[in-house]
Amino acid sequence: MSGATPVSLERQGDVGVITVNYPPVNALGPGVAEGIKDRLARANIDPAIKAIVLIGAGRSFIAGADIRGFGTNRQRLPLGQRVYDTLDASSKPVIAAIHGYALGGGLEIALACHYRMALPSAKVGLPEVLIGILPGGGGTQRLPRLIGAKAALEMIVTGRHVPATEAKRLGIIDELLPETADLLESAIAFAMRIVDVRPLPRVRNRSVRLEDRGIFEAMRKSIARRARNQKAPYACIGAVEAACALPFDEGCQCEANLFKELEDSPEARALRYAFFIEREVARLPDIPANTPVRDFSNAAVVGAGTMGGGIAMSFADFGLPVKIIDATPEALERGMQRIRDNYATSVRRGSLSEDQMQRRLARIEPVAGYEDIADCDLVIEAVFEEMDVKKPVFAKLDEVMKPGALLFSNTSALDIDQLAEMTRRPKDVAGTHFFSPANVMKLLEVVRSKHSSPETLATAMQMGRRIGKLSAMAGNTDGFVANRSRAPFNTEMVILLEEGCLPEQVDKVMVDFGYPMGPFAVGDLAGLDIGYASRKRRAAENPNFRKQPIADRLVEMGRHGQKTGAGWYRYEKGDRTPHPDPEVAAIIKEVATGLGIAQRTFTDEAVLRRLLFSSVNEACKILEEGKAYRPGDVDVMWLHGFGFPRYRGGLFFWADTIGVREVYNQIAAWHQQYGDRWAPSRLLRDLAESGTSFREARAAPFAA
Ligand code: 3HC
């Protein structure tokens, strides 16, 4: 990552230019903060230098502290001696010249400078809360002094990246340059204009504008749901509150105390882990990074249902033109209307402008038939989830699509090899499993058939990134990685009912754990008929398939979820609130009695472990069969496909907080009690015996 000297000083006329050069994003890695301090000291004693410009080389100003160093025994300088303090105290004016990102400690450095200028494409922010900490370089004290408590509080608690244009309006940036300006040249010219201005404008000397004393309580209330079980968002609020109540140095001390408490907290460790696995997932160990990627500038979607429409929107949202077809003009129009309605809802909610909606809609072109999509660079099949429906679609696509076009299937479980074999270009075929709603959910599971070429897979991964997704690779196994690892959870949750639990207890446990919704309420939202069809298929294929009589009964009674006003819960007309339903409790009892299963009570912890351990065991089997590259890939899928609470890191990260040995012992005990479905995976047993953590588990070589 680092060059030999990450920070340099050179003189240009009367201006000393300090350049940070620590690729790729100028994080404050080893030697960077020290380098800035050292060069600043030299510039201050050099009589030929009258003002100082601080700038980043490469693609960014400074992206913040080096996250890899957190939670290690890193050395922390006392307040007063840190890089922020020395910049602030410089007797010569220091100008931060910002391009790319000024985030976290990077923005804090800029705030400690006397002036800030930026290119319009730059982004600034204090995203520490997103990794479970709070700004620890004086950001919670300087930002409110600069832009007022309310705006600072919002920025610090959300951690959002603020575009430079907005930062200028807020008062963070003193001068916004035209995008084409030479940043360094402009900064030097600016420095010469202010070279004699005294006193130097030091943010620390300003007083905080507190618009309304109620903002802190209001913020605590507004984040209560999304920040449950987390400390960092509250620490952020507390620190800004301190900025309003205390002198600067005391406020910094308060910030430092809070930072120390949080740096190695379980939530911070989990969030750091999430940050790194989200980047690691892009690396495919057996496909070289320089594998050529096929060019694509447009796409086609076959099937204008809910998934197909959402996929088309994903392309349109990221500027790619997309054509869409369906079997009949009516189905196509229904699909287009759903797309128009979805965008109109976003406009009504204020998350999209009318103009943006029109531009996105203009990129989605409904066309009559296969011949109209023949010249597209890639096509995603999103027809009904049945092999017999999908196979002829692939044969047809093979017939019409231009040579070189890639053929992807949006299936959540079906065998990609069989689809590839319907074509004369099997190497150009892969799975691209989107999650619902496809235009919202971040995960794209790229499924590798044994026929897929490295080029096809690299292109599918890149396609996901181009449309704002996190692409993760899965092997071709029933349910792939995400749904396969989740399936035992889904089975256990209904078996728990047979044993005496109620849907509302299970949902409460999972919401308390951190999921936005409980799994039964999610089932009602998605529609219970979907799982029903795939259970029937699996039961037909596998005589040992564990049936779900309660779930089947509900569907057969017409309780398909919210859309029919009843599912696991009952719903009032026009209201999505789930109400526990005595009728469901009665069905549960009746089915359980019929099966001869005794009813009992469960602690919340027992419910949680039953559900998640079953998936941990299956995920171990997936690794042991080489269907996923790394434990982190599974965790990314759980975070972004299933809404697993990010501050718990992911399925495996969480399981490590319990301990491999304990997980194994429990699973082995349930194996004795419940039989084969709990047979511990070989990998799990090996990990337990060798005392290796889940995160360190090594998957078998990837097997498509
Ligand atoms: N520390 C260590 N490594 C970092 C890093 C950081 N702060 N920021 C980025 N990196 C690494 C990434 O891990 C990645 O490494 P890899 O190539 O080995 O996978 C590489 O830099 C490039 O990062 P991205 O792939 O994320 O590049 P993008 O261009 O997509 O995004 C970014 C750039 C927006 C800067 C994004 O990397 C990011 O959000 N970084 C984190 C920013 C952050 O959280 N800063 C605050 C840190 S905490 C802090 O400053 C505490 C202070 O208050 C004291």
Side-chain angles (χ1 to χ4, degrees):
M1 218 189 198
S2 73
T5 5
V7 186
S8 61
L9 169 67
E10 70 171 54
R11 192 164 60 76
Q12 295 209 16
D14 291 341
V15 178
V17 178
I18 298 178
T19 306
V20 177
N21 187 5
Y22 190 70
V25 291
N26 293 333
L28 297 168
V32 178
E34 300 82 341
I36 297 174
K37 273 180 70 173
D38 175 77
R39 302 306 187 267
L40 185 71
R42 290 190 204 188
N44 262 292
I45 53 174
D46 184 341
I49 292 178
K50 299 200 163 47
I52 299 153
V53 166
L54 176 61
I55 194 165
R59 63 193 228 214
S60 244
F61 179 67
I62 296 170
D66 185 352
I67 303 174
R68 286 174 212 275
F70 288 147
T72 59
N73 235 350
R74 69 195 175 95
Q75 237 205 336
R76 270 197 301 262
L77 290 174
L79 296 186
Q81 291 178 31
R82 304 178 310 170
V83 62
Y84 319 99
D85 311 308
T86 48
L87 282 162
D88 202 322
S90 167
S91 59
K92 299 178 183 175
V94 188
I95 298 105
I98 301 171
H99 74 298
Y101 292 99
L103 298 176
L107 179 59
E108 290 174 301
I109 282 185
L111 294 175
C113 294
H114 307 111
Y115 301 94
R116 286 152 295 280
M117 58 196 310
L119 293 177
S121 55
K123 295 217 165 80
V124 306
L126 294 174
E128 284 85 344
V129 70
L130 304 177
I131 50 167
I133 54 174
L134 77 163
T140 63
Q141 306 304 300
R142 284 195 178 86
L143 195 60
R145 284 177 163 78
L146 193 59
I147 66 172
K150 189 157 186 264
L153 186 67
E154 187 274 334
M155 263 181 74
I156 294 171
V157 172
T158 63
R160 76 186 171 96
H161 295 178
V162 176
T165 42
E166 184 187 345
K168 170 76 173 75
R169 260 197 321 278
L170 286 170
I172 299 173
I173 302 294
D174 300 296
E175 186 160 310
L176 195 63
L177 297 166
E179 192 57 47
T180 49
D182 182 309
L183 180 61
L184 179 58
E185 228 173 64
S186 310
I188 291 172
F190 181 89
M192 291 319 297
R193 284 205 301 281
I194 53 81
V195 69
D196 294 322
V197 175
R198 294 293 183 279
L200 290 174
R202 295 191 163 96
V203 176
R204 60 168 287 149
N205 294 340
R206 297 166 67 123
S207 52
V208 184
R209 186 175 76 251
L210 174 58
E211 301 85 346
D212 169 5
R213 288 189 183 284
I215 58 173
F216 303 109
E217 231 13 72
M219 184 59 92
R220 283 190 186 95
K221 269 208 191 103
S222 85
I223 63 168
R225 204 178 137 75
R226 121 179 101 84
R228 66 178 178 276
N229 304 329
Q230 293 172 75
K231 290 192 183 134
Y234 295 99
C236 289
I237 299 173
V240 177
E241 219 169 358
C244 299
L246 300 174
F248 182 81
D249 288 331
E250 285 176 43
C252 282
Q253 188 57 60
C254 167
E255 177 192 272
N257 297 343
L258 288 166
F259 190 93
K260 196 159 167 237
E261 269 173 40
L262 286 179
E263 178 177 342
D264 210 23
S265 66
E267 99 194 41
R269 269 184 275 137
L271 290 166
R272 283 198 294 271
Y273 167 78
F275 177 86
F276 287 114
I277 57 170
E278 283 165 355
R279 282 150 182 85
E280 186 177 42
V281 86
R283 287 191 268 277
L284 312 179
D286 54 356
I287 297 184
N290 59 3
T291 300
V293 171
R294 227 171 267 184
D295 261 355
F296 60 93
S297 56
N298 56 46
V301 176
V302 180
T306 313
M307 284 310 285
I311 295 169
M313 289 171 76
S314 306
F315 282 97
D317 292 352
F318 284 82
L320 284 167
V322 56
K323 293 183 178 174
I324 183 162
I325 59 173
D326 206 313
T328 65
E330 295 74 33
L332 187 58
E333 176 46 31
R334 262 199 312 278
M336 284 305 297
Q337 193 52 46
R338 194 178 304 112
I339 291 173
R340 288 191 282 268
D341 290 347
N342 284 342
Y343 278 135
T345 305
S346 303
V347 171
R348 242 191 342 272
R349 288 191 184 143
S351 57
L352 197 70
S353 72
E354 176 74 32
D355 184 46
Q356 281 170 321
M357 172 174 82
Q358 293 306 342
R359 267 184 283 141
R360 290 177 191 196
L361 275 172
R363 290 187 197 116
I364 305 177
E365 185 187 354
V367 292
Y370 283 94
E371 288 67 26
D372 303 304
I373 60 168
D375 62 345
C376 289
D377 297 331
L378 55 88
V379 53
I380 296 176
E381 163 280 306
V383 302
F384 193 66
E385 183 77 345
E386 280 275 0
M387 194 50 112
D388 292 344
V389 181
K390 288 187 188 280
K391 273 184 169 175
V393 171
F394 268 78
K396 183 73 187 169
L397 288 173
D398 184 40
E399 192 186 306
V400 300
M401 298 303 292
K402 69 180 179 189
L406 295 174
L407 315 184
F408 297 142
S409 172
N410 173 57
T411 166
S412 58
L414 299 178
D415 182 357
I416 303 291
D417 292 349
Q418 288 191 40
L419 296 176
E421 285 154 18
M422 293 304 293
T423 74
R424 288 156 302 169
R425 48 176 122 184
K427 65 178 181 34
D428 291 350
V429 176
T432 48
H433 174 207
F434 288 77
F435 288 68
S436 184
N439 56 318
V440 175
M441 298 296 285
K442 279 225 41 120
L443 180 62
L444 179 74
E445 197 177 19
V446 171
V447 188
R448 178 173 184 166
S449 139
K450 65 181 181 209
H451 305 292
S452 313
S453 71
E455 190 182 331
T456 300
L457 295 169
T459 311
M461 295 288 286
Q462 199 186 78
M463 179 198 80
R465 289 191 289 273
R466 277 271 291 279
I467 57 173
K469 307 289 180 205
L470 253 168
S471 307
M473 181 75 79
N476 186 26
T477 171
D478 190 3
F480 314 133
V481 171
N483 283 350
R484 177 175 161 188
S485 60
R486 171 66 191 224
F489 175 121
N490 294 346
T491 306
E492 289 307 316
M493 75 189 216
V494 286
I495 295 179
L496 276 173
L497 303 187
E498 292 168 9
E499 293 179 19
C501 245
L502 284 171
E504 46 273 31
Q505 183 188 2
V506 174
D507 278 359
K508 182 183 172 305
V509 169
M510 299 322 281
V511 169
D512 288 349
F513 180 70
Y515 276 94
M517 276 170 92
F520 285 107
V522 170
D524 276 356
L525 181 68
L528 303 185
D529 42 331
I530 297 171
Y532 183 80
S534 92
R535 280 199 301 280
K536 291 281 164 226
R537 176 176 67 79
R538 288 195 162 88
E541 286 167 7
N542 173 8
N544 296 325
F545 180 76
R546 175 58 162 89
K547 297 207 170 61
Q548 298 186 4
I550 300 174
D552 291 349
R553 267 284 285 284
L554 294 184
V555 176
E556 285 151 14
M557 289 169 69
R559 298 185 68 119
H560 292 187
Q562 278 189 20
K563 59 188 169 192
T564 59
W568 292 109
Y569 297 94
R570 74 179 172 77
Y571 298 86
E572 307 282 349
K573 227 182 164 49
D575 182 10
R576 289 160 171 252
T577 315
H579 298 282
D581 190 344
E583 195 180 349
V584 173
I587 293 166
I588 293 173
K589 211 168 194 148
E590 195 187 309
V591 173
T593 312
L595 294 170
I597 300 174
Q599 305 276 286
R600 61 192 175 93
T601 55
F602 289 84
T603 63
D604 289 354
E605 184 65 17
V607 170
L608 182 72
R609 290 185 174 207
R610 252 307 261 286
L611 299 186
L612 292 180
F613 284 10
S614 70
S615 284
V616 170
N617 195 29
E618 189 65 29
C620 285
K621 291 179 187 166
I622 289 171
L623 292 179
E624 138 196 336
E625 291 170 23
K627 298 295 180 190
Y629 284 121
R630 294 152 291 227
D633 292 34
V634 176
D635 283 348
V636 164
M637 296 198 200
W638 276 65
L639 293 179
H640 294 285
F642 301 137
F644 192 90
R646 189 178 171 79
Y647 58 86
R648 297 199 191 271
L651 183 66
F652 279 129
F653 188 93
W654 170 78
D656 271 331
T657 65
I658 309 281
V660 170
R661 173 50 74 180
E662 194 172 333
V663 174
Y664 172 75
N665 287 347
Q666 180 63 77
I667 288 177
W670 281 333
H671 184 208
Q672 296 297 315
Q673 187 180 346
Y674 293 112
D676 271 357
R677 74 173 199 275
W678 279 98
S681 101
R682 188 171 36 76
L683 176 71
L684 173 60
R685 193 197 55 218
D686 292 350
L687 294 177
E689 281 172 3
S690 62
T692 309
S693 70
F694 287 108
R695 282 161 58 192
E696 292 166 316
R698 293 181 72 88
F702 203 91

